Amino acid sequence: MKHRWPLFAVLFSLLAPHGSMAQDFYRGKVIRVIVGGSAGGGFDIYTRAMARHMGKHIPGNPSLVVENMTGAGTLIAAKYVHSSAKPDGLSIGMFNGGLILGRVLGMKGIDFDMRELEYLGVPVQDNPVCALRKESGVTNMEQWASSKTPIKLGGLSPGNSTSDVARIIQSALNLPVQLVEGYKGTNEIRLAADAGELHGACWAWETLKTAWAKAIPAGEVNVVLQVTAKKLPELPNAPLALELAKSEEAKLLLRAGAIDPAAVVRVYVTSPRIARDRLQILRAAFAKTLTDPEFVAEAKKANLDINPLTGEEVKKLVDDLFKLNPTTKSKLVSTLIPK
């Protein structure tokens, strides 16, 4: 009598060799992690901490080597991973997710489809705040709104959250702002502010509090505004931009242009067309790293917050950004894209 193999057994026999190959692929390999920000900046700090632990969660325990690829507000790094890196699972990219909104709005220079990238996740959802040096003479929003001279804020470039948040609050809250762009990373912005070239900047509280870890408690730097959905417990005295907005249009601008995109600012990706099994390995390793007790302890010591999204969750957010209604998109274009 002939034996009939159960269907699941047949499928397993077909898939097992392929799965085994995926498990063995990373043994002895080196994964490049391309960071769009400069050394010492917030993107760099998070990435290097994660790279020290992620390899042990990938079958074969490959090494992870971090490379800084600065320029164009992290666009150079994003485009490299999309268009130049081999789709073999040996390249991971980390860039400013504000570029995703830039692509949605048709921003010049972002000439590739962000939806084609494979998303691994974000380690923390950003909460943008605006911080000013005491030399600016502004320690609260009343003083900022009534300032006779523009407040100089540092930014990287259009499409980057450091620049976009500044433009959004200028438009939505009618604030006197002079945006100075061209910096390579938040660390350079901090140094420029400390040197007196800038009054301050707007970027994520999650790294800003680390960058000015001594200056904020000393009163040398003041956080004066939160561009967030709700108040952060650590900043009870800094008002919400949403509370200061005087119209529903202004609130919509703040949400669509700054608050919602902040969730995917620290986005990690790999190249399009990567094999699905390798993508799942990288996504799983990314998620496991963020709960790794050794990484969590290191993050706590370095004052790095952890509030992650999975690769699947990021993919959904990206798809939703590409579905913005035409009216909102038009308002964002006129605000965020320099003429």
Side-chain angles (χ1 to χ4, degrees), residues 50-128:
M50 292 182 65
R52 285 190 281 270
H53 301 276
M54 189 169 166
K56 62 187 173 185
H57 298 293
I58 299 174
N61 305 124
S63 301
L64 275 73
V65 177
V66 178
E67 300 177 21
N68 296 93
M69 188 179 289
T70 61
T74 76
L75 177 58
I76 291 176
K79 186 167 185 177
Y80 176 84
V81 176
H82 176 277
S83 307
S84 299
K86 293 180 179 179
D88 56 6
L90 294 177
S91 295
I92 293 174
M94 197 272 197
F95 62 90
N96 192 310
L99 294 173
I100 298 168
L101 179 60
R103 170 66 182 184
V104 171
L105 302 181
M107 194 167 286
K108 186 178 179 180
I110 309 178
D111 57 357
F112 57 96
D113 192 343
M114 295 286 185
R115 289 169 291 186
E116 293 175 349
L117 288 162
E118 297 290 359
Y119 293 90
L120 304 184
V122 298
V124 61
Q125 300 170 64
D126 277 10
N127 290 287

Side-chain angles (χ1 to χ4, degrees), residues 261-273:
V264 294
V265 163
R266 297 167 197 277
V267 67
Y268 287 79
V269 303
T270 189
S271 304
R273 299 177 303 281

